[in-house]
Amino acid sequence: MRWDLLAEWIIKAIIILVLLLTGFAYQTWLERKVVSKMQYRIGPNRAGPFGLLLPLADGIKLIFKEELIPAMADKVIFVAAPVVSMIVALLVFAVIPIGPSIIVFGREVTLQLADINVGLMYVLAVSSLGIYGIVLGGWASNNKYALLGGLRSSAQLISYELVLGLALMGSVMLTGTLSLNQIVNAQAYDFWNWLVFLQPLGFLLYVIAAIAEVNRAPFDLPEAEQELTAGYHTEYSGMKFALFFMAEYINMINVSAIAVTMFLGGWRPPFGFIPEWTGPIWFFLKVLAFILVFIWLRATLPRLRYDQLMNFGWRTMLPLAIANVVVTAIAMALRPTPGANTWFVVAVGSVILIIAALLFYRSWSSASMRRRAARQAS
Amino acid sequence: MSHVEQTLDALRQRYGDVPTQVMNGHVSALVPADKIVDAVAFLLNPDGGFTQVMDVTAVDYYTTTPRFEVVYQLLSHPHRCRLSLRVGVPDVDGVPTVPSITGAFPGANWFERETYDMFGIRFDGHPDLRRILMPHNYAAYPLRRDFPLGYEEVAFSHNAHEIHSRKPFTPQGLARAAEIKAVQPSALVGADAPPDPTYKDSWKQPIEPTGGMRQHVGLTLDDASTIGPLAVSSQTAESQDDPFGETMVMNIGPQHPATHGVLRLVTELNGERLVRVMPDIGFLHTGIEKTMESKSYLKALTCTDRTGYAAPLHCNMAFSGTVEKLLDVDVPLKAQYARVILLELDRISSHLLFAGSSAMDLGASSPFLWAIDARERVYDIMELVSGQRMMTSYIRPGGLAYDLPQGFDRAVQAYLDYIPGRVDQIEEILISNPIFLDRTQKVGVLSKEDAMRWSVSGPIARSSGVDWDLRRDMPYLAYDQVDFQFNVLVRTEGDTYARFLLRLQEIRESVKIAQQALDAMPPGRWMTANRKVAPPPKEEIAISMESLIHHFKLWTEGFRTPPGQAYFAVESPRGEMGFFMHSDGSAKPYRCHQRSGAFAALQSMPLVVTGMLISDLIAIIASWDPILGEIDR
């Protein structure tokens, strides 16, 4: 047993936990602030300057709140469900590289808890376990709204998990590895090497599927407030509710981090001349941009209906994801020299993107036509 | 010869002597009780010329025989007139009974239920004669004149079981009420009755854990509608159509984020699909009609704000208009113009609330806050004119409460300049969004025929193709004196999308009307000069003893109305908002019934939801725009 390695792991794990939990707290603050600006409101401004202490106040409130367990709930599962959600959410970040190797006290330390060679596999496997927390929570509450929320969630996650995995396959095929560290290194050094340019459709599909994966608007059906009051966590209060809440927001950070790693060059700066030690800053900025997109969507879009969600997942997203994998494979087989002529893949990727855009445009243009008709009618 | 006179002649030919009453344009005919179904069916067919029964209610004359009279308000779209039918209610086996007209006009369903609930009048042949506003096991009929007033003991948590055990709606109270047949004050209050120990115990008994969801208890939807919400929420359904318990009965409401107050919908679900939906209302019932009976007209007016709280001025207007019809007073032109402006602002604020909350119910939160922000600015104007933001009671019988303040026109002009942009913004973000279109188009389609048959009016009927707007077709206020240029928007789709867009576009029409009224506002008094209704001016009170006495009498006792009946309706944001009033010549309304558009419309909602998903139900509730204060009253 190498004690120094163990100590390094523990220290890194603690740092990741602290980062995620702080990140979660200030993400809620950021969301409230940004949404309030979009809605002509002021947002939190009571606790501390700009309401910055609000997450702290929220935490204290939730900890001291009365915990209710419904009389006819399945108590063990009811208590276990939020814990499952939370643990799974925290596990994902272990394999995500947030910077280059640095030298600390003469010791080389990678800014990644575990550089395992099946990192992406691990991410997909662990994140798909998160659904258990939601389904069990919904079932154990013995509440009809919660049950429906849990059912919606399981159907939604199974459908979109598939797309999520397939959308990432293109990048995996191009880089030839499942190790997240190597995928990041394959995107060095300038921004035009980022996989988003080789896999534009894959990126788009991943982002959409990821929103569905973390139950955010417009895919927030499992906890649709106006329909199911709060869906699977209707009966949860106090810290148990907080755990579900934290899991959702940490999952947002997780999927953003994976998107950054897989498509946007990970922690790497956009230009080769920028020193690598700025990596964590770039990583933070890129993840932040994703989270802002999540917030923006939430403030803008209405919610999909259950059957529309399923149709969209199985009839639009899944065929496109499969097409993306097939075309990427064909392009890789046809390119003259392996690795070198990426322009070929880019061209093919663009063609798919155009076809996809046309497909989307059909429904979109009919929508705008209807809008024009409505204008003329009035 | 007007259509009403022709109709009266036709009725006389059919039924012999039909006594009629005419009061300032309100015509009512007394029809024999056994002929009422025939009369309604005759009047509603194309030859009869009438199209909708807008209201059914009753008057309790108490000491006379027959004691009750049921009153029907019929409306003719093609002839633009109203006719009121009255029926003396005979006793059958000691129960006042009239035939139900639901066979001839299904939309009378809830109105007859309400009349049954409030007066105990049985409607023979009614498909679903249950209590509607009062609790299902309530023992008395509150709108009867001999229902005791006052002495209501308030139940707190520390003594709830004691108080409740004396109330008529508990098993013990019910038994006691059955023992004492005649409902007397002492029977209802039972101040001397000791608290019932068995009830106390049953109140404290813990719920037996029965395995909850996993155990069927044989609860049908019909059972669910007669027992409390709490009991349903923990039990599973086993309906007759579905012996294996495939469906689930679920409460949506009374406490639910999307039911716009305390509407309770008992739904039978197959997965997420709705098999049946049964609305249950009355959770916000506060006996406002009963309260009005013991208040002078001016004080009763303040009750109307509390009913349709999303468009309080329309309630004020409907009430004031009815009183003015009874009094036959002239309202000065300036007051009429001011009323038009304020009513249109009120409509804008109500439609904004609708647009925002229906966007919210579909999951889009920003349009909600944009709309609320815009609505607050209407309230700023309301505060400017009346000192109140919401419950203004500003429109009063005879005119307005006070003169318009300085700066009123500037404030309104600023708002009228501002609001179209905000409406564009809300419209743009939603109707250019494919998700919104998919969620609303072809969802909850109400046909034109159903809208007519179920007494639906206002924006819901117009989005189903009913071309009817009281402002244009039976104008009141300045609407009939000035040719306001505005469009009555009609859509034919009848779906949620049409209902949404129609209301948003009505905001623009309201802006047009308000702008024209503002530009043409004449000078003059804000209140009628009729000293029977309006108080004398303050200067006069200081020098004239008679004026002081008059003022004192007017504020303490109130003005008297001549005996008779009147029905007057306005085009409120939720359809026809009307008041039926019976005056016995005193300073208080003998009977005052509010006909709310939302109440009538809500009964048609179950027609369109079968086979839809829960999410659609939420969108449909939102598009029906129910305001429970107005529905439950």
Side-chain angles (χ1 to χ4, degrees):
Chain A
M1 178 60 79
R2 287 187 51 193
W3 293 105
D4 53 342
L5 197 60
L6 194 65
E8 185 191 319
W9 284 344
I10 289 170
I11 290 168
K12 281 201 282 196
I14 289 170
I15 289 173
I16 284 177
L17 278 182
V18 168
L19 280 180
L20 278 180
L21 293 178
T22 324
F24 146 74
Y26 280 92
Q27 203 183 345
T28 61
W29 175 85
L30 183 75
E31 175 162 30
R32 288 181 184 191
K33 271 293 188 197
V34 172
V35 168
S36 69
K37 288 282 175 262
M38 290 179 179
Q39 298 173 340
Y40 306 124
R41 294 188 288 121
I42 295 166
N45 66 349
R46 298 285 101 179
F50 309 107
L52 273 169
L53 294 178
L54 189 78
L56 199 68
D58 268 348
I60 292 169
K61 178 196 77 175
L62 285 168
I63 289 167
F64 286 107
K65 227 173 179 184
E66 185 184 1
E67 303 244 352
L68 287 173
I69 298 181
M72 286 185 267
D74 196 324
K75 291 191 181 52
V76 176
I77 298 175
F78 186 83
V79 174
V83 179
V84 171
S85 282
M86 184 65 185
I87 289 176
V88 168
L90 289 174
L91 282 178
V92 172
F93 219 83
V95 293
I96 292 172
I98 56 170
S101 298
I102 51 171
I103 308 293
V104 182
F105 302 126
R107 176 187 171 82
E108 193 182 342
V109 178
T110 53
L111 292 182
Q112 182 184 17
L113 182 56
D115 181 14
I116 52 179
N117 58 1
V118 287
L120 188 65
M121 203 70 164
Y122 167 86
V123 166
L124 290 176
V126 168
S127 68
S128 63
L129 285 176
I131 176 67
Y132 280 102
I134 292 176
V135 174
L136 293 177
W139 180 81
S141 304
N142 195 6
N143 173 311
K144 290 170 185 175
Y145 293 127
L147 180 71
L148 286 174
L151 286 178
R152 281 181 176 192
S153 181
S154 53
Q156 176 175 332
L157 260 77
I158 288 167
S159 309
Y160 281 75
E161 192 84 35
L162 218 57
V163 179
L164 193 86
L166 282 173
L168 295 173
M169 275 315 113
S171 303
V172 173
M173 287 156 74
L174 286 171
T175 52
T177 173
L178 281 169
S179 157
L180 293 176
N181 205 10
Q182 288 179 31
I183 290 174
V184 171
N185 287 334
Q187 302 178 64
Y189 287 94
D190 294 301
F191 73 88
W192 50 83
N193 291 330
W194 290 357
L195 281 167
V196 63
F197 299 108
L198 299 177
Q199 283 287 315
L201 183 60
F203 175 68
L204 203 66
L205 291 173
Y206 173 79
V207 172
I208 295 174
I211 298 167
E213 179 87 1
V214 296
N215 298 332
R216 291 283 298 184
F219 301 108
D220 55 345
L221 284 85
E223 48 190 293
E225 190 202 336
Q226 287 79 18
E227 291 155 29
L228 304 178
T229 58
Y232 60 89
H233 59 63
T234 302
E235 294 286 0
Y236 283 89
S237 62
M239 211 50 212
K240 291 201 217 47
F241 162 74
L243 286 180
F244 271 130
F245 194 61
M246 283 156 95
E248 178 186 329
Y249 278 77
I250 291 173
N251 274 330
M252 262 166 77
I253 301 180
N254 288 340
V255 294
S256 307
I258 294 163
V260 167
T261 308
M262 295 298 294
F263 294 103
L264 296 181
W267 52 265
R268 290 200 166 273
F271 297 102
F273 61 80
I274 300 173
E276 279 192 348
W277 59 264
T278 56
I281 297 168
W282 290 108
F283 185 81
F284 172 74
L285 289 178
K286 289 172 186 174
V287 169
L288 186 66
F290 262 97
I291 285 166
L292 285 172
V293 170
F294 277 122
I295 294 170
W296 179 34
L297 287 176
R298 183 186 157 188
T300 315
L301 292 178
R303 185 180 302 120
L304 283 165
R305 202 170 62 200
Y306 184 63
D307 56 333
Q308 291 162 354
L309 178 93
M310 287 292 133
N311 278 345
F312 186 63
W314 290 99
R315 296 203 185 146
T316 311
M317 300 275 283
L318 191 63
L320 282 176
I322 292 173
N324 188 46
V325 171
V326 171
V327 174
T328 309
I330 293 171
M332 284 174 65
L334 292 182
R335 64 184 170 182
T337 51
N341 294 327
T342 47
W343 59 266
F344 192 79
V345 188
V346 173
V348 175
S350 311
V351 170
I352 309 175
L353 192 66
I354 288 163
I355 294 168
L358 282 174
L359 279 174
F360 279 119
Y361 182 74
R362 261 185 48 208
S363 63
W364 186 71
S365 66
S366 64
S368 66
M369 252 162 60
R370 277 175 291 199
R371 184 173 82 230
R372 272 199 299 278
R375 272 285 163 76
Q376 280 160 4
S378 67
Chain B
M1 199 163 155
S2 75
H3 181 68
V4 175
E5 287 165 12
Q6 282 173 11
T7 309
L8 289 176
D9 281 349
L11 285 176
R12 281 192 198 100
Q13 276 174 15
R14 280 174 92 88
Y15 309 123
D17 184 35
V18 177
T20 56
Q21 280 181 7
V22 182
M23 182 149 190
N24 305 328
H26 176 83
V27 185
S28 66
L30 189 68
V31 178
D34 50 338
K35 297 287 190 292
I36 180 64
V37 180
D38 180 58
V40 169
F42 164 66
L43 293 177
L44 285 179
N45 75 19
D47 299 333
F50 284 86
T51 41
Q52 278 183 313
V53 178
M54 295 316 283
D55 191 19
V56 181
T57 185
V59 184
D60 177 10
Y61 295 112
Y62 192 31
T63 46
T64 59
T65 321
R67 181 177 169 178
F68 298 102
E69 249 182 31
V70 176
V71 187
Y72 304 84
Q73 309 292 344
L74 275 75
L75 173 70
S76 166
H77 283 189
H79 300 284
R80 302 181 177 186
C81 60
R82 290 179 191 280
L83 176 66
S84 169
L85 296 182
R86 292 181 292 129
V87 168
V89 182
D91 274 14
V92 178
D93 308 332
V95 182
T97 308
V98 282
S100 165
I101 62 160
T102 44
F105 187 77
N109 190 320
W110 277 22
F111 290 112
E112 289 187 346
R113 273 179 72 186
E114 190 195 338
T115 310
Y116 162 74
D117 192 5
M118 293 297 157
F119 291 93
I121 297 172
R122 194 169 65 203
F123 288 87
D124 264 349
H126 190 285
D128 184 28
L129 198 62
R130 289 181 290 122
R131 284 194 177 268
I132 185 166
L133 295 177
M134 303 303 289
H136 293 287
N137 48 3
Y138 196 72
Y141 301 111
L143 274 182
R144 289 188 175 186
R145 293 296 290 192
D146 54 350
F147 183 86
L149 287 178
Y151 324 116
E152 184 78 0
E153 281 179 288
V154 182
F156 295 100
S157 53
H158 66 89
N159 62 358
H161 52 275
E162 284 181 34
I163 305 284
H164 278 166
S165 70
R166 291 183 221 142
K167 293 265 167 106
F169 54 79
T170 57
Q172 287 73 27
L174 208 63
R176 202 169 296 126
E179 276 170 29
I180 313 162
K181 285 276 167 30
V183 177
Q184 296 293 324
S186 59
L188 280 173
V189 180
D192 50 350
D196 193 321
T198 53
Y199 183 64
K200 185 176 177 178
D201 289 347
S202 71
W203 190 70
K204 293 218 160 171
Q205 240 166 28
I207 309 161
E208 284 291 320
T210 56
M213 219 182 282
R214 275 147 256 151
Q215 184 176 337
H216 296 299
V217 291
L219 180 75
T220 66
L221 191 65
D222 298 312
D223 296 338
S225 62
T226 56
I227 63 176
L230 272 177
V232 176
S233 61
S234 60
Q235 291 172 344
T236 321
E238 198 170 346
S239 93
Q240 285 89 352
D241 328 333
D242 175 35
F244 304 108
E246 294 282 317
T247 62
M248 172 169 85
V249 170
M250 186 170 88
N251 274 310
I252 295 186
Q255 274 82 37
H256 188 277
T259 52
H260 294 224
V262 284
L263 173 64
R264 174 185 173 216
L265 297 165
V266 187
T267 59
E268 188 176 344
L269 294 172
N270 184 2
E272 285 217 16
R273 287 218 179 263
L274 297 159
V275 181
R276 271 202 291 172
V277 173
M278 191 179 283
D280 183 16
I281 60 172
F283 292 92
L284 208 57
H285 178 65
T286 45
I288 278 191
E289 288 175 8
K290 188 76 181 172
T291 311
M292 283 178 179
E293 283 176 10
S294 53
K295 288 188 185 301
S296 69
Y297 286 101
L298 208 52
K299 290 173 185 162
L301 174 85
T302 59
C303 296
T304 61
D305 292 302
R306 275 82 186 160
T307 58
Y309 48 75
L313 282 171
H314 279 88
C315 304
N316 286 172
M317 185 55 230
F319 181 86
S320 303
T322 318
V323 177
E324 282 158 15
K325 206 166 174 178
L326 282 171
L327 288 165
D328 199 17
V329 293
D330 285 328
V331 178
L333 209 53
K334 178 179 176 181
Q336 297 204 14
Y337 273 76
R339 282 178 174 186
V340 167
I341 296 171
L342 291 169
L343 287 177
E344 292 309 327
L345 287 178
D346 200 39
R347 187 186 316 279
I348 291 173
S349 102
S350 172
H351 281 351
L352 280 171
L353 179 68
F354 157 79
S357 60
S358 52
M360 185 79 169
D361 285 351
L362 292 172
S365 52
S366 291
F368 174 70
L369 285 141
W370 298 347
I372 289 296
D373 177 40
R375 182 167 165 263
E376 285 300 316
R377 295 172 198 228
V378 177
Y379 284 161
D380 288 345
I381 296 175
M382 297 299 169
E383 191 178 9
L384 181 73
V385 296
S386 72
Q388 284 283 343
R389 292 178 76 78
M390 208 167 171
M391 308 298 173
T392 57
S393 299
Y394 187 61
I395 294 176
R396 294 190 180 172
L400 305 172
Y402 340 98
D403 201 357
L404 290 174
Q406 283 191 338
F408 172 73
D409 46 356
R410 271 204 313 277
V412 173
Q413 189 60 54
Y415 189 73
L416 295 181
D417 294 341
Y418 149 86
I419 190 66
R422 187 55 69 87
V423 174
D424 286 344
Q425 189 186 5
I426 295 171
E427 192 178 283
E428 190 63 27
I429 194 174
L430 288 175
I431 69 169
S432 59
N433 187 325
I435 299 177
F436 179 76
L437 296 178
D438 286 346
R439 285 293 307 275
T440 53
Q441 283 180 329
K442 300 203 170 52
V443 169
V445 180
L446 183 73
S447 69
K448 184 180 176 182
E449 290 69 35
D450 276 343
M452 294 300 289
R453 286 169 57 225
W454 286 86
S455 197
V456 179
S457 54
I460 304 177
R462 283 198 287 279
S463 24
S464 293
V466 180
D467 190 4
W468 181 255
D469 189 322
L470 287 174
R471 288 175 294 171
R472 181 197 64 191
D473 297 315
M474 293 180 73
Y476 47 96
L477 289 178
Y479 291 111
D480 62 340
Q481 299 182 14
V482 186
D483 189 18
F484 286 123
Q485 298 297 315
F486 72 104
N487 305 319
V488 173
L489 303 164
V490 180
R491 301 184 74 91
T492 49
E493 303 98 308
D495 55 4
T496 303
Y497 176 73
R499 288 189 282 273
F500 181 83
L501 207 60
L502 185 109
R503 286 196 180 91
L504 261 191
Q505 289 166 348
E506 274 192 358
I507 295 180
R508 298 204 185 94
E509 300 303 323
S510 290
V511 170
K512 276 191 215 166
I513 298 174
Q515 185 67 59
Q516 291 168 56
L518 190 66
D519 293 343
M521 176 106 94
R525 256 177 79 77
W526 68 96
M527 187 71 166
T528 173
N530 185 341
R531 290 283 172 90
K532 289 288 174 221
V533 183
K538 266 269 162 25
E539 310 88 73
E540 218 174 281
I541 293 173
I543 54 170
S544 156
M545 191 56 165
E546 286 72 26
S547 290
L548 181 63
I549 294 171
H550 194 120
H551 185 274
F552 181 73
K553 287 280 280 181
L554 208 52
W555 289 125
T556 50
E557 188 192 315
F559 50 81
R560 290 166 184 273
T561 54
Q565 293 185 344
Y567 178 84
F568 174 82
V570 298
E571 181 69 34
S572 91
R574 287 169 193 79
E576 176 168 321
M577 158 77 73
F579 270 88
F580 166 77
M581 222 174 273
H582 178 92
S583 162
D584 61 349
S586 71
K588 294 169 182 174
Y590 184 81
R591 167 87 179 100
C592 181
H593 174 69
Q594 185 177 14
R595 190 269 180 205
S596 130
F599 178 83
L602 189 63
Q603 62 177 335
S604 68
M605 199 186 73
L607 297 179
V608 304
V609 296
T610 309
M612 297 269 169
L613 294 163
I614 294 180
S615 315
D616 292 327
L617 176 67
I618 303 302
I620 291 168
I621 300 173
S623 76
W624 243 259
D625 194 16
I627 290 295
L628 271 294
E630 181 179 320
I631 292 171
D632 293 347
R633 298 179 304 270

